[in-house]
Amino acid sequence: MTDTLFGRLDLSSLSLWHAIQTPTPSELIAAGAAMAVILGGFGVLALLTWFRLWGPLWRNWLTSVDHKRIGIMYCALALIMLARGVIEGVLMRSQQAFGLHGGFLTPEHFSQLFSTHGTIMIFFVAMPFIAGVINYVMPLQIGARDMAFPVMNQISLGLTATGAALVMISLVLGQFSTGGWANYPPYTGADFQPGPGPDYWIWSIVLAGIGTTLSGINFAVTIYKERAPGMQFLRMPIFCWTVICTSIIMVFALPPLTVAALMLAADRYLDFHFFTNDLGGNMMNYVNLFWLFGHPEVYLLVIPCYGIFSEVIPTFSGKRIYGYMSMVYATMSIAVLSFCVWLHHFFTMGQSANINAAFGIASMAIAVPTGVKTYNWLATLFRGRVRMTVPMIYAIGFFYLFVIGGLTGVMLANPVISYQVHNTLFLVAHFHNVIIPGVLFGLLAGYHFWFPKAFGFRLDERWGRAAACLWIAGFSFTFLPLYWLGLQGMPRRSATFSDPAFQPVMWLALFGAALILAALTCLAVQLWVSIRNRDHLAVPLGDPWNGRALEWSIPSPPPAYNFAVLPQVAARDDFAMAKADGRTFAEPDAYEDIEMPDNTAIGMIVCVCATLMGLALVFWIWWLAVLSFAVMLVALIGRTFRVVTTHVIPAAEIAAAHRAWLARVQAAPAVSRRDETRERNRGRAMLERPTTPEAAE
Amino acid sequence: MTTSNLHPGPNLGDHHGEAHYGAEAIVFGFWVFLMSDLVIFGLVFASYLTVANQMGMAGGPGPAEAFDLRSVFVQTMILLTSSLTFGFATLAMRCNHGRAAIARWLAVSLLLGIGFLTLELRDFAHMIDVGAVPQRSGFWSAFWGLVPLHGVHVASGCLWIGVMLAQMAVLGMIPAVKTRILRLGLFWHFLDLIWVAIFSIVYLGGLMP
């Protein structure tokens, strides 16, 4: 009877229960993490109740279909998960620092840590953060009112949150997979891991992955169909070009992951033999499917960050981007090549030398368009009026560190070297070296760059600089030593080691991890300080950095309908051009009614049902799985019977708001670049022309 | 090519006014979704082909013991016919032949879809009888991963037709209903295309000496 009701969920599934039974350090840390999740969850609920925020939260955020609010919620989710991911990373570095012949964590616990750390950082930090920035920025840059499919956008967010929730729940109930973020069978098959661990991985990935596929469709269609009049493809900001490449990757690369994970689920739940050792199963099929997703995935992550740097660097150099067309070609080339290299993830698994050579060359070829981009960014800085604001500090750190990461990537693309350093910390150093400076620095630069647009006030500059410098130093101390360790043969994913020579280097890496933790703390303090000082940091007029694209031509935060009148785009970098020509901030001839989509609860219904379904599947509670799926299906079909799903904002209301803002802009003094990080900056930038003809290029 | 072609495939035409122009982004988005779904089928096909050999069958039954080509041929004819009848439904909508005509062709397509599924389930039962179950070997796992995946798609299509018939009755031929039928049509024809590949690669390919 209890089996029917609760499946395989019982008292021993609670990690707290284990800690009470056997209070070893490993169990106590696990129990502490579980308590943090429980107390954190209840803490949030209590605060929401105490400040009576449930109503506003529901009305303004959870049921909103506004791409800007959805984008902010994605970023908030990513930052919360980033905190967990960083803490796990620090814990792993601590374990290895003490790991000579032992350490304080069991190998089992350590394996769970690197599995959740990888899964979280890729799927629930980098991807939601990117989806958040794209959601917020892209429609503003192309002059659209919203995404092409606003309700589907909300559902995508709901499914991403579902995946994140399942990973968080795994701290409290049962345990996570020990199979790494790639979760290779047959090790993750039912024979070797009968517990719920790999099932958590499967369902969090599948549900979040479906959300991401839908996001990709949404982004692509939005760019193809919703551009403002005159916004030709070759007038789009580079960031939008990177978004279209990323969304193409989302549409084509996420399905392999879904297929691989569902086949693994069939193996585990229904005794299929897709990837088993026996009866004709073939685990190489999994590896091919997974990396057919996994390799484009890393470009999915980094390409939009290239786009962010391509917005930040010209803006803070006071120049247009150097080599626009070559940037576009380079981005497209990288997106295409990203599908041609997946096999370099298993050079050592027994295919012929010719195949290895072909994929090795394809992998190295990616360095060419990436190099083109790097030179273009450098050329953009050349003779520009460069201001070392926080996003630029991240950009400079990116230049140095990402090039090192890229070069070690070219080394690894050589199958011979790949054999030599296979499964060592060299690889760990390499992919952190591209993902942290490439993706995370890019996202943090974008966070500082567009935060004033989203909230109407700037982030505190001093704390931001401290955080950026700590990130750069912390990254360097943590991961550059791992190259040396890897070359000396220290295996990855190993809780302990036996060579005393490694120990001082491990301590160095731990020191770096402490710096990263300090960087994260600085970011948190910065947010707190900035919110407290928001009146001094306010930039409501909308253009604090002398921006170049359309998103800076509207108030901060923008109204729900983005543009009072859809812009007529005449040039690349249209807003910068308009400022130069003096055609900005003119009152339009006429205002029109704007039709906007209504709020809806469907995304939250999907999120709650999908979370329950995932949990039910992990613990074999079949009735709940069927029930929650049925509720979700009925809700989705039921919604299609609603005829009226939009409301109209009257022209008079839009005109009043727009005229008031225009009046404030006209009245405000224009601020020079020297003062852009000072209180005097209220968001009306003075146009400063470059002084030399070379710089005008 | 006329300027009123707003998206690939059958368009509603200018005389549908708002529904025609409103379909642009929505139907285009559905094409993108279908491309994504096509990737899924492509990968499942590829996985099938890697184990469609003696090693993948692991000493278990092979296609010759389990496939009934006559039944599969009948299924193929039924499904192809349903695509034709769905085409008639789309044409009836495009030419404003009225709700009854559209509903009639949709209902015929639905019945054919259900007929296809019934025969397919009968085939599956036969396969289970001869021991060609997914638990038997990697080959049968791949088969049961591929062909029923198409079946589930057809079942979803049938459910979708049912929902559309209900919406036509409740809401009438409003623009939203029209664009949904357009998308459903794309989906239905897409399933036909996949089936042609299944028939050729799995059934004919499997029974080739």
Side-chain angles (χ1 to χ4, degrees), chain A residues 118-430:
Chain A
T119 307
I120 285 175
M121 285 304 201
I122 298 289
F123 291 104
F124 302 113
V125 177
M127 302 232 320
F129 211 153
I130 282 165
V133 173
I134 293 176
N135 248 304
Y136 198 93
V137 175
M138 182 268 286
L140 295 177
Q141 284 198 333
I142 61 170
R145 295 233 183 275
D146 205 328
M147 285 287 170
F149 308 113
V151 176
M152 191 167 90
N153 202 18
Q154 193 195 47
I155 292 173
S156 298
L157 171 66
L159 288 171
T160 307
T162 292
L166 286 175
V167 181
M168 290 311 267
I169 292 171
S170 77
L171 274 178
V172 182
L173 295 177
Q175 57 289 121
F176 202 74
S177 174
T178 55
W181 86 286
N183 220 39
Y184 279 4
Y187 174 62
T188 52
D191 292 343
F192 295 94
Q193 283 194 66
D199 301 326
Y200 266 122
W201 183 89
I202 289 169
W203 299 114
S204 60
I205 293 307
V206 165
L207 294 166
I210 293 170
T212 308
T213 311
L214 297 179
S215 282
I217 296 171
N218 216 340
F219 297 152
V221 177
T222 305
I223 293 190
Y224 279 122
K225 296 290 181 187
E226 306 289 330
R227 279 165 293 133
M231 179 60 88
Q232 298 159 2
F233 272 112
L234 290 176
R235 285 180 185 165
M236 291 197 307
I238 294 288
F239 179 71
C240 293
W241 273 105
T242 62
V243 172
I244 196 142
C245 292
T246 286
S247 44
I248 289 170
I249 295 178
M250 284 178 181
V251 170
F252 289 130
L254 266 295
L257 176 70
T258 311
V259 168
L262 287 179
M263 283 178 171
L264 182 60
D267 277 7
R268 289 182 58 83
Y269 283 82
L270 301 168
D271 199 20
F272 276 45
H273 294 281
F274 284 114
F275 310 126
T276 53
N277 282 326
D278 55 347
L279 289 172
N282 185 349
M283 73 81 73
M284 286 313 292
N285 280 349
Y286 181 90
V287 182
N288 272 296
L289 287 171
F290 182 84
W291 289 110
L292 194 51
F293 145 79
H295 203 84
E297 162 75 11
V298 300
Y299 290 94
L300 185 167
L301 298 179
V302 82
I303 286 177
C305 299
Y306 292 160
I308 293 171
F309 284 125
S310 302
E311 301 297 306
V312 164
I313 290 168
T315 303
F316 290 111
S317 306
K319 287 173 66 185
R320 69 179 204 206
I321 187 107
Y322 180 88
Y324 178 92
M325 283 308 294
S326 60
M327 279 306 217
V328 172
Y329 286 132
T331 310
M332 295 300 275
S333 312
I334 293 171
V336 172
L337 280 173
S338 74
F339 283 95
C340 309
V341 302
W342 81 91
L343 206 130
H344 71 214
H345 291 270
F346 39 102
F347 275 156
T348 60
M349 291 201 202
Q351 57 269 356
S352 75
N354 285 341
I355 291 179
N356 277 0
F359 279 84
I361 292 165
S363 307
M364 291 178 206
I366 292 191
V368 177
T370 314
V372 168
K373 281 172 160 284
T374 310
Y375 284 118
N376 281 343
W377 288 316
L378 293 178
T380 308
L381 291 172
F382 183 63
R383 292 192 180 169
R385 178 161 185 188
V386 180
R387 291 99 68 190
M388 286 306 284
T389 52
V390 178
M392 281 303 271
I393 297 174
Y394 281 113
I396 300 303
F398 160 79
F399 282 145
Y400 285 102
L401 297 175
F402 187 79
V403 167
I404 297 174
L407 290 177
T408 56
V410 175
M411 289 167 72
L412 285 168
N414 183 332
V416 183
I417 298 178
S418 180
Y419 267 84
Q420 190 64 27
V421 296
H422 177 69
N423 250 349
T424 67
L425 285 179
F426 190 88
L427 190 69
V428 177
H430 162 68

Side-chain angles (χ1 to χ4, degrees), chain A residues 454-489:
Chain A
F455 295 99
F457 58 95
R458 286 176 285 118
L459 284 166
D460 185 85
E461 196 71 12
R462 274 200 322 197
W463 281 103
R465 284 180 191 180
C469 294
L470 282 168
W471 265 114
I472 292 169
F475 166 80
S476 306
F477 277 110
T478 310
F479 293 102
L480 299 182
L482 301 192
Y483 281 121
W484 185 84
L485 284 170
L487 286 174
Q488 300 303 313

Side-chain angles (χ1 to χ4, degrees), chain A residues 149 213 217 221 224-226 251-252 255-256 259 263 270-274 279-281 285 289 292 637 640-641 643, chain B residues 6 24-26 28-29 32-33 36 39-40 43 47 50-51 55-56 58 134-138 141-142 163 167 171 180:
Chain A
F149 308 113
T213 311
I217 296 171
V221 177
Y224 279 122
K225 296 290 181 187
E226 306 289 330
V251 170
F252 289 130
V259 168
M263 283 178 171
L270 301 168
D271 199 20
F272 276 45
H273 294 281
F274 284 114
L279 289 172
N285 280 349
L289 287 171
L292 194 51
I637 292 176
T640 63
F641 280 83
V643 180
Chain B
L6 297 174
E24 186 176 358
I26 294 175
F28 177 73
V32 181
F33 162 75
S36 197
V39 174
I40 289 187
L43 296 168
S47 304
T50 60
V51 289
M55 197 152 54
Q135 291 80 9
R136 179 62 191 82
S137 68
S141 295
V163 171
Q167 293 198 342
L171 308 174
R180 281 172 198 153

Side-chain angles (χ1 to χ4, degrees), chain A residues 48-83:
Chain A
L48 287 173
T49 312
W50 179 257
F51 290 107
R52 297 168 186 275
L53 288 175
W54 283 107
L57 182 71
W58 180 257
R59 280 191 304 275
N60 298 337
W61 294 91
L62 298 181
T63 59
S64 174
V65 289
D66 183 339
H67 71 94
K68 300 183 286 300
R69 289 178 186 255
I70 288 175
I72 291 167
M73 285 189 276
Y74 265 120
C75 293
L77 175 73
L79 287 171
I80 293 167
M81 298 305 282
L82 176 70

Side-chain angles (χ1 to χ4, degrees), chain B residues 137-204:
Chain B
S137 68
F139 172 76
W140 286 111
S141 295
F143 173 88
W144 285 88
L146 171 58
V147 181
L149 179 68
H150 174 269
V152 168
H153 273 71
V154 175
S156 320
C158 289
L159 175 67
W160 193 354
I161 296 183
V163 171
M164 289 327 296
L165 288 171
Q167 293 198 342
M168 285 165 64
V170 177
L171 308 174
M173 294 305 292
I174 59 172
V177 170
K178 287 182 185 173
T179 55
R180 281 172 198 153
I181 293 176
L182 275 187
R183 281 175 282 168
L184 174 55
L186 292 178
F187 186 69
W188 201 258
H189 301 310
F190 169 75
L191 295 182
D192 231 27
L193 199 73
I194 300 293
W195 181 260
V196 171
I198 289 178
F199 182 70
S200 317
I201 294 174
V202 176
Y203 288 107
L204 289 183

Side-chain angles (χ1 to χ4, degrees), chain B residues 85 89 100-114 161 165:
Chain B
T85 57
I102 305 167
R104 206 159 44 232
W105 286 118
L106 282 182
V108 174
S109 309
L110 175 61
L111 288 178
L112 289 168
I114 293 171
I161 296 183
L165 288 171

